[in-house]
Amino acid sequence: MTKYLISFPSEAMVVAEDDFPAVVADSHAVIEEAKAAGVYVFGGGINEQVEPVQVSSDGAVSPELYPGSQLKGGFTVLEVPTREQAVEWARKIAVACRCAQELREFQYDPAS
């Protein structure tokens, strides 16, 4: 089966404060559904309060990142048999989170 990354940048999720508890409940319900279906791998959100660093090939640590690099927001990794199923899960997550989701397919690596 193929693993898929379903994600959104943090600025995409614009939810009224009163609606936030429902969004949390709905998104958690989709994750529980994915777990029950046996397709959930892991998920979470990038901690934007902690600055990222770049670790170079010589081990040096720097606050400089690749130009244009931005990784923030929430994500879910699922493992499903078809892209169509991945799209359906992305749709469920989009509905629950009240914002569009990006879908990416991981390349298969036989060593992983």
Side-chain angles (χ1 to χ4, degrees), residues 11-12 16 27 30 36 49 51 60 63 77 82 88 94-95 98:
E11 63 271 6
S27 61
V30 173
Q49 303 304 310
E51 291 296 322
V77 176
T82 68
E88 179 59 23
V95 169
R98 284 36 166 211

Side-chain angles (χ1 to χ4, degrees), residues 25-110:
D26 291 350
S27 61
H28 287 173
V30 173
I31 295 305
E32 289 305 316
E33 182 183 354
K35 288 178 179 179
V39 300
Y40 182 81
V41 177
F42 69 95
I46 301 299
N47 186 345
E48 296 176 34
Q49 303 304 310
V50 178
E51 291 296 322
V53 297
Q54 186 177 77
V55 181
S56 69
S57 59
D58 67 3
V61 178
S62 167
E64 300 296 319
L65 302 179
Y66 286 111
S69 177
Q70 271 194 358
L71 181 59
K72 55 185 181 174
F75 65 90
T76 304
V77 176
L78 301 179
E79 188 171 33
V80 295
T82 68
R83 184 170 180 85
E84 291 76 21
Q85 289 177 349
V87 168
E88 179 59 23
W89 282 105
R91 184 196 64 74
K92 290 178 182 187
I93 293 171
V95 169
C97 290
R98 284 36 166 211
C99 66
Q101 302 291 304
E102 297 177 345
L103 177 66
R104 291 179 173 82
E105 183 175 315
F106 285 97
Q107 283 185 306
Y108 176 71
D109 179 358

